[in-house]
Amino acid sequence: MILKRLSILNYKNISEATLELSPKLNCFVGQNGEGKTNTLDAVYYLSFCRSASTNIDSQVVRHDADFFVLEGEYEGEDGTPEHIYAGMKRGTKKHFKRNKKEYKRLSQHLGLIPLICVSPSDTYLIEGTGEERRRLMDVVISQYDNAYIDSLNRYNKALQQRNTLLKMDDEPDPDLMQVWEEEMARSGEEVFQKRDAFVRELIPVFQEIYAHISEGKEEVSLRYVSHCQRGPLLDVIQRDRHKDRAVGYSLHGIQRDDLEMLIDGYPMKREGSQGQNKTFVIALKLAQFTFLKRTISKTVPLLLLDDIFDKLDARRVERIISLVASGDYGQIFITDTNRENLDRILEASRADYRLFNVVGGEISGVRGYEGTEVRDM
């Protein structure tokens, strides 16, 4: 999938912009806080129906504005045009349309425009809680398996209902408890099987990319941990029901799944340096891209690289540039405060590109392929 034109109105600090984009490389240069990341976030929103930084849509509306609008004109691998619209007025629900037809459910849109985003905040995957790592798995799997979202939603509904029963002062109805536990087990095992298959296929791709960037200096791996590995999930859930009653919520289930991140056999969280952590998450995201590219056979994902070179030594930057410039990644959006990093990528790739300056939420074209001027947008 290629994003040919992006229109932004009142999104975060960007009041208005219309960008004619390259099918290969789109580079945005500017100081921190000027709007580079917000531009990429607009692209992210059109894929996932939400911002990468917040679940609250009103927070993406520009200050002193009453609404926001995003529009993307895409072209599929077979040349089929797609027009995606997202917009919302303050105090009302958002509207999301494909080719002028509004979606009944936003989940119907997921996977149409697959996308992988690499950003500085990705280190939370190592430093943060299991919730972030579960979300990482959910975001990728949901882009190629619509049934996964349905299973996850059924599980979460059953979990919520069971937790409500566990909080009751009186002893809950055992038959009703059984109904919700059986739904948790059925849907939870479906989610587990898909997460497990995803991680197993991802690991060798991830290790290969990490080895390329680090030149084989460290060995890394992933380990998926789930209560489903202890036996039938229904048995696991029911085994300690009395403990769940005591605390008022479910202690076991896929809501406690985690993805352990290891370097040389030890927890990355404890052993990794800043540069190793950054290399780890970049390799992990690029592996997800490769996985999606293989899985969604008709659509190459978009790749967003937001300020990825900070805290990396020159050699690792060079290795990442060689990967990104290899031509295997379809349409790429890159931001950086350092113009030199972007120029090195452009020189290495020798592909079609657009280079934009971002200052105070205003985006202006600098030049295109072979130095051709890009008119201000």
Side-chain angles (χ1 to χ4, degrees), residues 28-307:
F28 299 85
V29 62
Q31 297 305 306
N32 292 327
E34 300 293 340
K36 305 186 307 299
T37 297
N38 293 343
T39 307
L40 266 58
D41 195 58
V43 178
Y44 184 98
Y45 198 108
L46 288 171
S47 281
F48 291 103
C49 311
R50 61 178 294 273
S51 165
S53 61
T54 178
N55 288 320
I56 303 172
D57 289 305
S58 61
Q59 292 183 356
V60 307
V61 182
R62 188 173 63 88
H63 295 315
D64 303 323
D66 296 325
F67 68 94
F68 83 88
V69 170
L70 298 176
E71 293 185 84
E73 295 181 13
Y74 297 83
E75 185 177 281
E77 312 302 309
D78 59 357
T80 303
E82 296 280 357
H83 181 270
I84 304 300
Y85 168 96
M88 190 193 77
K89 292 182 180 180
R90 290 191 188 276
T92 65
K93 74 170 189 175
K94 65 185 169 191
H95 295 276
F96 219 94
K97 301 177 184 180
R98 176 185 179 187
N99 299 326
K100 300 184 179 181
K101 184 177 181 180
E102 187 146 8
Y103 285 102
K104 292 181 180 179
R105 292 184 299 129
L106 294 179
S107 61
Q108 295 174 323
H109 180 68
L110 297 180
L112 177 69
I113 309 166
L115 179 150
I116 293 295
C117 179
V118 188
S119 74
S121 64
D122 286 337
T123 53
Y124 71 78
L125 294 169
I126 296 171
E127 302 161 358
T129 65
E131 181 179 359
E132 284 89 3
R133 292 182 284 275
R134 288 190 296 276
R135 183 172 178 271
L136 176 144
M137 293 187 283
D138 295 342
V139 165
V140 178
I141 300 171
S142 64
Q143 291 187 73
Y144 65 85
D145 189 340
N146 289 332
Y148 179 81
I149 289 291
D150 293 336
S151 297
L152 190 60
N153 287 340
R154 288 197 307 272
Y155 180 86
N156 287 333
K157 179 181 177 180
L159 173 64
Q160 184 180 29
Q161 294 295 331
R162 183 177 189 265
N163 285 347
T164 298
L165 294 176
L166 291 171
K167 290 183 175 72
M168 293 176 62
D169 294 331
D170 298 329
E171 193 63 27
D173 183 333
D175 292 335
L176 189 56
M177 181 72 80
Q178 180 76 18
V179 168
W180 294 121
E181 288 173 342
E182 288 178 353
E183 180 58 49
M184 281 178 65
R186 182 166 48 251
S187 301
E189 287 180 345
E190 291 173 1
V191 170
F192 163 74
Q193 290 167 5
K194 292 177 180 181
R195 285 177 177 173
D196 186 56
F198 164 67
V199 174
R200 287 177 186 273
E201 291 187 48
L202 186 71
I203 287 173
V205 181
F206 161 63
Q207 290 175 325
E208 181 181 350
I209 293 174
Y210 189 97
H212 173 87
I213 297 173
S214 69
E215 298 181 284
K217 292 180 180 177
E218 311 100 24
E219 291 186 7
V220 293
S221 190
L222 303 167
R223 183 187 297 139
Y224 177 38
V225 180
S226 174
H227 289 152
C228 289
Q229 294 158 340
R230 300 180 181 180
L233 186 55
L234 183 59
D235 293 347
V236 174
I237 292 171
Q238 293 181 335
R239 192 177 301 154
D240 291 321
R241 189 191 285 174
H242 65 287
K243 293 182 180 178
D244 294 354
R245 278 283 286 156
V247 298
Y249 58 88
S250 301
L251 292 168
H252 297 89
I254 61 164
Q255 77 279 8
R256 308 297 281 251
D257 285 4
D258 207 345
L259 189 62
E260 294 183 353
M261 301 181 170
L262 308 171
I263 183 167
D264 294 329
Y266 297 97
M268 192 78 194
K269 186 175 185 178
R270 190 181 70 207
E271 299 292 328
S273 66
Q274 284 187 324
Q276 288 170 333
N277 287 353
K278 193 73 177 282
T279 304
F280 194 100
V281 295
I282 290 172
L284 184 58
K285 290 297 190 77
L286 294 181
Q288 291 171 31
F289 177 96
T290 302
F291 181 89
L292 276 180
K293 185 178 178 181
R294 292 176 180 175
T295 306
I296 306 177
S297 58
K298 294 183 179 179
T299 305
V300 178
L302 306 183
L303 181 62
L304 311 187
L305 304 175
D306 185 18
D307 194 20

